[in-house]
Amino acid sequence: MIQQKIDRRHFLEHSALAVALSAIPGSLFAQIALRKRMEWQQFKITPQYDSLLNAIRLMKANPNASNPNSWAYWTNIHINRCPHGVPYFLAWHRGYLYHFERQLRIVSGDSNLILPYWDYYTYATIPAEFTDPNSTNPLYVNRLNVNVRQALTLAPFSPTVTNFQRGAANAFEPILENQPHNPVHDIIGNIMSTMNSPVDPIFWLHHANVDRLWVAWITAAAGRKMPAKTKPYWSGVHTYTNTLTLPRVSTYDTRTILQYYYQNEAMPASIPLAQVTNARALRVQAGPDQLPRSLPPTGSFKISGPRPTSAATFSLGGALHLSLDRRSISAQLPVNPEHWTALQEIGRGKAMSLRGGTTKYKSAHLVLDQVELAENGKNGGYFYQVYLNMPSPEAGASRPTSLLLGTLGAFQIRSAVHHGHGAARLRYSLRGILPNASLLRVGMVSVSFVRVDGDNNPAGAVIGIGEAHLELSTEETNPQ
């Protein structure tokens, strides 16, 4: 395992890529044919398979982490620059793969080398070439799990997911990041559940597949909306080092400027039949939003009341000091009827003030504050699906409506800690998902954490949450 690390400032100021571009003119690629990224099972029988292994060996053997010919150089870019849980998660990583792929060609001397992808919706187990522990195998690292079926969902490909960027209702980018992207990191575990995850060669195939799923989503059917190239969303650049950038608009698609496409650009239609089921893991099979069976039991947690949490935010109430282990569990969130009405309106995109106040709140979230990994949870092998449970809008309904907000696991927590430079604070947007609910009674709103385990998973407490609460914010979440 690569351990080279260098000072962040030194890395950002002095690292340079042999081919570092701040802009990519289209004419540069006019004479280059489109390259095809292949699924691993086909890629491994091409001559480029040996080129890839040779490049990885050479890069891992290079001890200079400031040199783009080293493996650690590319891991440090991810540590220092990667955006997670924020806009441009997909586009930034598209450019990251593009630059890395170009460096693989330089190191290998093979101008035809192109990154393969791992289609885990077809082959849910990490390819055997990555699991051979032979000391000469550059693809091997020690992983907790190799089967990622538990991490998969069809939710990002629902016909209701029609917008792209974070901040919009029914937005593809945050849904895809929440699952399957984050849970694949979590289930594989060990180094893949950390910001050092590019150390593991399977990282690159995982992200190539995430990139492919984006291509599949936008090309699958009419009605899916990407912000136009002329919109402010695509202005500016993606930054990898101070000398290595890429115009954001270059990552709008893969064919126009980046000049590649995928062997299969169809959306997944199913999850592998051999999916592992687990009594502790209530899986979403019937649809992307609904918890399929009864709610997990409600724990006994201290309650926090409504209060301002900053000049820009207001907590409607929550639960304190949650400890997550192998059990799935729920926690009640006290919300009074007046606040519930405001929450619904804000969730639909309307700015609202609370009674007696003048502050206009524009967005609503479930917030997890002071989130920490216990020692047992640091190596991954599990994650939680996070649901908000509310009174059903249907008269006489016997159970609440449960909406999947996202996931929670070791990788996501480490990412939040890394970017926040302190204890993790995670927010799950409620924009566009709240139904009409006139049946609210105090104590009827709750959050559920549904445990999903890999084949190898930790026992005991894995995650601590200081407070789970519903929060209003003056921040505008509408996209550009």
Side-chain angles (χ1 to χ4, degrees):
M1 183 179 299
I2 293 179
Q3 298 294 336
Q4 300 115 312
K5 292 187 179 179
I6 60 176
D7 176 77
R8 174 185 172 90
R9 181 178 177 184
H10 180 274
F11 174 78
L12 296 178
E13 291 183 352
H14 299 288
S15 60
L17 186 65
V19 184
L21 303 176
S22 60
I24 302 181
S27 60
L28 182 63
F29 300 99
Q31 299 178 352
I32 300 178
L34 286 174
R35 302 176 186 269
K36 180 170 70 174
R37 285 185 178 172
M38 290 180 284
E39 207 287 323
W40 178 261
Q41 299 304 322
Q42 180 173 337
F43 172 83
K44 70 181 183 180
I45 60 175
T46 69
Q48 281 63 56
Y49 172 75
D50 287 335
S51 296
L52 177 65
L53 266 59
N54 183 48
I56 295 174
R57 286 192 187 99
L58 290 172
M59 293 174 81
K60 286 189 171 184
N62 188 327
N64 183 0
S66 298
N67 188 329
N69 291 331
S70 74
W71 199 251
Y73 177 92
W74 296 93
T75 298
N76 284 330
I77 288 178
H78 190 260
I79 292 171
N80 292 318
R81 295 289 195 180
C82 65
H84 290 98
V86 296
Y88 304 107
F89 162 75
L90 288 176
W92 185 93
H93 281 84
R94 174 171 284 176
Y96 183 42
L97 296 187
Y98 170 78
H99 280 305
F100 176 73
E101 182 179 71
R102 290 167 62 84
Q103 197 64 28
L104 286 176
R105 292 191 200 115
I106 293 171
V107 174
S108 68
D110 186 344
S111 61
N112 294 318
L113 179 57
I114 190 164
L115 271 176
Y117 66 94
W118 167 35
D119 179 7
Y120 32 75
Y121 279 92
T122 301
Y123 310 100
T125 300
I126 292 176
E129 292 77 16
F130 289 78
T131 62
D132 178 1
N134 190 299
S135 60
T136 64
N137 180 14
L139 302 177
Y140 177 78
V141 300
N142 183 29
R143 306 175 182 96
L144 197 60
N145 289 295
V146 296
N147 180 337
V148 298
R149 291 183 181 93
Q150 303 92 325
L152 305 183
T153 177
L154 298 179
F157 317 111
S158 166
T160 63
V161 180
T162 56
N163 292 308
F164 171 70
Q165 73 270 37
R166 191 176 303 274
N170 300 314
F172 177 74
E173 181 178 53
I175 293 176
L176 188 71
E177 182 180 3
N178 267 295
Q179 197 171 354
H181 168 264
N182 290 344
V184 167
H185 277 272
D186 287 322
I187 292 296
I188 293 173
N190 287 357
I191 198 72
M192 274 289 278
S193 65
T194 74
M195 290 297 98
N196 291 296
S197 50
V199 166
D200 188 341
I202 203 65
F203 167 95
W204 302 97
L205 276 70
H206 168 37
H207 270 273
N209 195 50
V210 169
D211 186 61
R212 179 187 73 90
L213 294 174
W214 176 15
V215 173
W217 177 80
I218 196 61
T219 60
R224 291 178 167 85
K225 302 171 185 176
M226 290 271 287
K229 290 182 179 181
T230 55
K231 293 290 185 181
Y233 184 84
W234 296 107
S235 63
V237 298
H238 302 303
T239 300
Y240 303 96
T241 72
N242 284 358
T243 56
L244 182 63
T245 61
L246 197 65
R248 284 175 178 161
V249 72
S250 298
T251 56
Y252 180 87
D253 61 35
T254 66
R255 294 172 181 251
T256 304
I257 294 204
L258 304 185
Q259 296 283 297
Y260 69 88
Y261 68 103
Y262 286 96
Q263 173 186 333
N264 178 1
E265 295 186 343
M267 288 198 306
S270 63
I271 293 172
L273 293 176
Q275 174 144 3
V276 173
T277 58
N278 189 298
R280 293 187 299 272
L282 305 183
R283 302 291 295 140
V284 178
Q285 298 294 343
D289 300 325
Q290 299 295 321
L291 194 66
R293 292 187 281 274
S294 60
L295 298 182
T298 301
S300 178
F301 303 108
K302 291 183 178 180
I303 297 301
S304 60
R307 69 198 188 279
T309 45
S310 74
T313 56
F314 187 91
S315 174
L316 302 181
L320 299 171
H321 310 308
L322 285 70
S323 179
L324 304 184
D325 54 29
R326 274 181 168 169
R327 298 167 296 177
S328 297
I329 197 166
S330 300
Q332 289 188 336
L333 307 177
V335 182
N336 68 49
E338 176 200 341
H339 287 166
W340 178 253
T341 300
L343 181 70
Q344 285 183 288
E345 294 300 320
I346 293 166
R348 297 189 190 103
K350 181 180 179 181
M352 291 284 291
S353 297
L354 300 180
R355 181 182 296 178
T358 59
T359 301
K360 289 284 187 179
Y361 296 106
K362 300 176 182 179
S363 62
H365 299 82
L366 171 72
V367 175
L368 306 181
D369 266 325
Q370 299 295 314
V371 184
E372 297 181 339
L373 282 168
E375 194 63 34
N376 282 342
K378 290 182 177 179
N379 288 332
Y382 67 94
F383 67 96
Y384 295 86
Q385 292 176 320
V386 182
Y387 291 86
L388 185 67
N389 312 306
M390 300 163 293
S392 174
E394 299 178 5
S398 61
R399 54 158 294 166
T401 297
S402 299
L403 298 174
L404 179 62
L405 301 184
T407 60
L408 175 67
F411 180 83
Q412 191 173 4
I413 293 169
R414 284 193 169 103
S415 176
V417 169
H418 176 73
H419 293 293
H421 306 291
R425 188 174 198 265
L426 301 170
R427 301 200 305 168
Y428 301 82
S429 176
L430 304 184
R431 178 176 169 80
I433 70 167
L434 296 178
N436 292 319
S438 60
L439 305 179
L440 179 71
R441 296 189 299 275
V442 173
M444 287 296 291
V445 179
S446 65
V447 58
S448 292
F449 299 90
V450 178
R451 173 78 171 241
V452 181
D453 282 322
D455 297 335
N456 295 303
N457 58 83
V462 292
I463 295 174
I465 302 172
E467 182 181 16
H469 59 109
L470 294 172
E471 186 174 84
L472 306 181
S473 174
T474 59
E475 174 188 62
E476 177 59 76
T477 59
N478 287 331
Q480 293 177 320

